[in-house]
Amino acid sequence: SFLSRLHNMSKSNVSTQLSFVHLGGNVPSLAPNQDMILNEILSANRQRHVSTYLEEQRNAVAQSLESDSDTNALSSVSDITGEPKTDQKMHPAEVFTVLFSAPLVWRDGEHAYHPIEMLDFKLEKSLLWQCFSEASRNIDISFDNATTDRLQAVMTRGCKYLHFSGHGHPYYLTFEDGSGGIHWFNVDQLKALISGGLEDGKPPFDFVFVSACHSALAGHTFVESGVPHVVCCQQESQLMDSAALSFTRAFYLALAFGRTLKDSFEIGKHAVLSSATVLKPDEEMKKFMLLPEDDSHDVPIFNAEEVPEWPLAQKNGAANSSKRDVNDSLPAPPAGFLGREADMYQVLNLVLDRRFVNIVGPTGMGRSSLAAALCHYIDDRKSTLLFDCIYFVKATLNRPNVGKSSPIVSLHNQLVLSGKTQAVSNDADLDELIKEILLVLKQTKSLLVFDKIETLDGTAEAQDFHFFLGQIFEQTEDVSVLVTSNQSIGLSSLVSVGESAYTLGPLNLRNTVKLFAFHCPHLHSSRERKGLLEELASHTLNNRLAEDDEVSEKIKSVLGGGVPAKTFAVAYEMTVEEFEELKNVKIALSSGECQELKSVREDQENRDDIMIAEEIQQDEIVGEDSVSGKEDEMIDD
């Protein structure tokens, strides 16, 4: 509520003076993402205030100088001092590359796949974007996924500044293998790769920032490869913690403004010490290292000119690669989406190998969430997975014209909105729409996603949709189709393209407890959530067989049976009394004394089934194209 009020106020003139908020001693402390949101709001206020001041200064300077039509408007007045400066050509932007590594699974010696908890890079990306936007310097940021091929490409392009973020390991660097798996990259391999990028005996990078668990290993490896300046940030959680956020924000802001690496590192450490959200700051300081330890780092890394607007536009008018490439047509997975890494890996490799894939599962199992998360995963890896475009279409019964299949119309509308084709008249027939779509898709490698196609069952549009799929596979070569449904659509062969069905099952106990803890309003901090996970699922840690034992199954049934929609409903409808009993349910189940809670949960499951059925019926009546709100999306999914 506090952040929402600030956000709304920041849009008015009332709060443009509100530049700093001190929350020292606030209980409970802001979570890292809340702290990030607050700083973004305050940063926007500061930028508006500074922009107003600078605009006033420009006007004053303009009035005191005679107008000159040959003056370069972009460089005539300093954005910092308001003083006129000589007309000069802008130097090329300094390029800063960010590589993120988030493999989905690792494979053991028996060729069994094990999930790797997904890292959430959105917060880290937003943080870096905010720092360089506030500095407003001629620095171009490019985001990419961390494979050895992409690292080599970065060195080939001559990029001198690298930020690496990902999982860590005591003996290996964890890169991605290009198809969702992990690439165990040892120290000698990294040294060999970097030595291959030497130019005139000089290392390819002047500066590297490593954010990962066991980051010191990677840091020392870069140093041994000749990189003169390396910063290590020890990360031990899925999200950047408060200390890492405070350090990274202050460090990169100072660095972008041209401060020396030594000064920026000290500024970052002092930000940790003075942060109101960092517990035990003296201990947290040990997370950060500046290597080599005995060398001088009293040099600036960036020496970029200030620019009137960041990111700077290219000569053709397009934004440079710093501009965040956000695919607004892709739905976001619901809040708390987790535990589907292995499923994502399997479906991803089906999509890469086959042209027609169907995620099959009952309502509430998370088919739509999995498809949405997979689309974002692919979209973040365009340079590796090589899909030019992804189009996500939710099938509904809200048809604009009888005889036109809603998914086909929706897809055509997306192509029109993206500027790929022209709108057609209202009386255009289905064949004309399909012709326009095929004309666009023939020129690209695209992924088409059609969600919940069971809504077409029993309608004339189902036959049209099957015909459309046949046309896609017959007349294009590089277009793949992913659908979600409650069953196989029954097309064993479409122009020699068979249906590859993937059955989505329930979450295991640990992920069920994690999902419940994420949504349960009776848990208020990450420490409390971890405590509940320890109480209910500690016996499953490093013991896969325990996931299927009697106690695990009974606990999971109390929390919705591993069906995400039911777990979501249980979390929000559980009373305080039931929650207190839940915390001891493991002991109670082991002694057979938990019949009352089981009965209550069975009644709750019946209500959940009715609620989900009513939700589906309402969707079919109203024909909503998307579910509004993350909570509704989770229930619907």
Side-chain angles (χ1 to χ4, degrees):
S1 176
F2 166 68
L3 292 174
S4 178
R5 283 172 175 265
L6 270 183
H7 180 70
N8 292 334
M9 291 173 61
S10 67
K11 297 179 180 179
S12 67
N13 294 327
V14 176
S15 68
T16 53
Q17 306 298 323
L18 181 62
S19 299
F20 300 93
V21 175
H22 180 64
L23 293 177
N26 183 65
V27 178
S29 299
L30 292 182
N33 63 321
Q34 293 175 325
D35 187 41
M36 181 70 184
I37 293 172
L38 176 59
N39 278 281
E40 286 183 345
I41 293 171
L42 297 179
S43 174
N45 287 347
R46 292 195 294 270
Q47 290 185 55
R48 277 199 297 270
H49 185 55
V50 171
S51 297
T52 301
Y53 170 78
L54 294 177
E55 184 64 28
E56 293 173 352
Q57 293 297 308
R58 291 190 188 96
N59 293 337
V61 172
Q63 291 175 3
S64 63
L65 298 174
E66 292 185 4
S67 57
D68 183 357
S69 60
D70 295 330
T71 299
N72 185 345
L74 286 179
S75 59
S76 60
V77 178
S78 168
D79 290 304
I80 303 300
T81 65
E83 298 296 327
K85 61 184 182 182
T86 58
D87 185 17
Q88 58 183 1
K89 184 178 180 180
M90 185 72 69
H91 291 93
E94 299 193 39
V95 180
F96 175 60
T97 299
V98 182
L99 295 182
F100 291 99
S101 176
L104 299 170
V105 299
W106 64 276
R107 191 173 65 176
D108 63 22
E110 298 178 355
H111 302 288
Y113 290 98
H114 303 268
I116 302 174
E117 188 173 21
M118 288 189 66
L119 298 174
D120 188 347
F121 296 125
K122 294 191 294 293
L123 191 62
E124 195 167 355
K125 287 183 178 180
S126 297
L127 175 63
L128 293 170
W129 182 267
Q130 175 190 337
C131 290
F132 288 97
S133 177
E134 189 168 346
S136 195
R137 298 296 171 125
N138 190 22
I139 301 172
D140 182 12
I141 305 180
S142 92
F143 297 96
D144 208 340
N145 59 302
T147 65
T148 53
D149 287 343
R150 299 315 302 162
L151 177 59
Q152 195 165 42
V154 169
M155 295 189 297
T156 302
R157 293 199 305 266
C159 174
K160 296 297 183 181
Y161 317 112
L162 175 68
H163 179 108
F164 173 85
S165 185
H167 288 284
H169 189 275
Y171 308 110
Y172 295 92
L173 282 80
T174 56
F175 279 58
E176 298 180 14
D177 67 359
S179 60
I182 196 168
H183 179 188
W184 302 106
F185 203 49
N186 64 40
V187 172
D188 292 335
Q189 289 175 311
L190 179 61
K191 288 181 181 178
L193 181 62
I194 294 178
S195 63
L198 294 178
E199 184 177 355
D200 298 329
K202 297 180 180 179
F205 301 112
D206 292 337
F207 164 74
V208 174
F209 189 108
V210 181
S211 177
C213 182
H214 304 291
S215 58
L217 172 71
H220 284 292
T221 303
F222 279 111
V223 169
E224 292 171 8
S225 301
V227 178
H229 308 292
V230 178
V231 173
C232 298
C233 174
Q234 187 82 353
Q235 270 290 91
E236 297 178 355
S237 60
Q238 184 183 16
L239 280 169
M240 291 191 80
D241 55 32
S242 297
L245 282 171
S246 298
F247 177 86
T248 305
R249 181 190 300 114
F251 171 80
Y252 271 116
L253 185 60
L255 206 64
F257 269 112
R259 301 291 293 269
T260 66
L261 178 59
K262 178 181 177 181
D263 287 347
S264 299
F265 188 78
E266 292 300 320
I267 289 171
K269 291 199 298 182
H270 280 89
V272 175
L273 286 173
S274 60
S275 174
T277 61
V278 177
L279 300 175
K280 301 179 180 179
D282 291 330
E283 294 184 12
E284 294 296 309
M285 293 283 291
K286 299 175 183 178
K287 287 185 173 182
F288 311 104
M289 301 171 57
L290 180 56
L291 303 174
E293 294 179 339
D294 298 330
D295 285 15
S296 173
H297 301 286
D298 197 17
V299 293
I301 297 300
F302 297 119
N303 188 24
E305 303 165 279
E306 61 190 78
V307 293
E309 182 180 4
W310 189 91
L312 203 62
Q314 295 176 340
K315 292 181 179 180
N316 60 6
N320 64 13
S321 60
S322 300
K323 193 65 176 177
R324 284 178 287 190
D325 189 11
V326 179
N327 191 340
D328 294 328
S329 67
L330 298 181
F337 176 79
L338 51 80
R340 293 301 193 186
E341 293 85 2
D343 297 302
M344 283 182 61
Y345 176 80
Q346 298 293 346
V347 177
L348 171 62
N349 281 271
L350 283 176
V351 169
L352 295 177
D353 294 337
R354 310 291 177 86
R355 294 191 64 190
F356 183 38
V357 180
N358 184 1
I359 302 176
V360 179
T363 299
M365 192 60 73
R367 297 170 288 140
S368 302
S369 301
L370 177 62
L374 180 63
C375 286
H376 283 280
Y377 192 86
I378 294 173
D379 197 55
D380 288 338
R381 290 157 178 77
K382 289 181 178 178
S383 61
T384 302
L385 301 179
L386 304 179
F387 279 103
D388 301 320
C389 304
I390 304 174
Y391 301 99
F392 194 105
V393 178
K394 178 162 292 204
T396 71
L397 296 183
N398 185 20
R399 299 182 300 279
N401 292 297
V402 176
K404 291 185 179 179
S405 175
S406 179
I408 300 174
V409 174
S410 297
L411 175 59
H412 186 267
N413 290 339
Q414 285 194 33
L415 295 176
V416 172
L417 290 174
S418 62
K420 302 292 180 63
T421 189
Q422 300 294 322
V424 297
S425 60
N426 292 332
D427 58 351
D429 59 22
L430 185 63
D431 289 337
E432 185 175 350
L433 283 180
I434 294 177
K435 181 180 178 181
E436 292 290 331
I437 292 172
L438 292 175
L439 188 63
V440 173
L441 296 181
K442 284 180 179 179
Q443 306 171 26
T444 66
K445 178 177 175 61
S446 299
L447 174 63
L448 308 182
V449 184
F450 297 97
D451 189 28
K452 298 179 181 176
I453 61 171
E454 67 267 18
T455 57
L456 298 176
D457 291 347
T459 70
E461 283 66 34
Q463 184 175 357
D464 293 335
F465 182 66
H466 294 168
F467 171 76
F468 173 66
L469 291 181
Q471 292 294 297
I472 289 290
F473 297 132
E474 181 180 5
Q475 299 193 32
T476 69
E477 294 182 359
D478 295 319
V479 177
S480 300
V481 176
L482 172 67
V483 301
T484 74
S485 180
N486 58 5
Q487 60 184 349
S488 170
I489 67 173
L491 300 179
S492 59
S493 177
L494 287 170
V495 192
S496 301
V497 177
E499 175 188 8
S500 298
Y502 181 83
T503 303
L504 186 63
L507 296 171
N508 62 25
L509 175 62
R510 289 190 67 82
N511 289 316
T512 299
V513 175
K514 285 181 181 180
L515 181 61
F516 171 85
F518 179 88
H519 287 288
C520 181
H522 306 308
L523 296 167
H524 305 100
S525 67
S526 59
R527 180 176 299 179
E528 292 180 356
R529 297 183 186 100
K530 289 180 180 178
L532 183 67
L533 180 64
E534 178 69 19
E535 291 171 354
L536 299 182
S538 60
H539 64 291
T540 65
L541 188 62
N542 299 323
N543 185 0
R544 298 178 66 185
L545 296 178
E547 285 282 358
D548 300 322
D549 65 19
E550 185 177 0
V551 172
S552 296
E553 288 299 323
K554 288 181 178 179
I555 295 174
K556 192 163 71 170
S557 67
V558 169
L559 298 179
V563 178
K566 291 185 178 182
T567 301
F568 175 90
V570 169
Y572 281 100
E573 296 187 12
M574 180 173 285
T575 65
V576 176
E577 293 76 15
E578 289 177 332
F579 177 72
E580 290 301 320
E581 188 175 350
L582 173 67
K583 291 194 293 185
N584 299 313
V585 70
K586 185 176 178 181
I587 298 175
L589 284 173
S590 299
S591 59
E593 298 175 357
C594 199
Q595 296 302 320
E596 182 178 352
L597 181 61
K598 287 172 64 181
S599 177
V600 171
R601 287 294 106 218
E602 288 173 358
D603 291 341
Q604 179 62 56
E605 287 184 9
N606 292 333
R607 294 200 300 271
D608 295 342
D609 289 338
I610 295 173
M611 179 182 64
I612 293 172
E614 290 176 347
E615 181 80 17
I616 298 169
Q617 184 178 11
Q618 183 67 22
D619 282 350
E620 292 179 349
I621 294 173
V622 177
E624 294 178 340
D625 191 58
S626 63
V627 181
S628 61
K630 291 182 178 178
E631 295 181 1
D632 291 338
E633 183 176 2
M634 175 67 85
I635 294 174
D636 179 66
D637 198 30

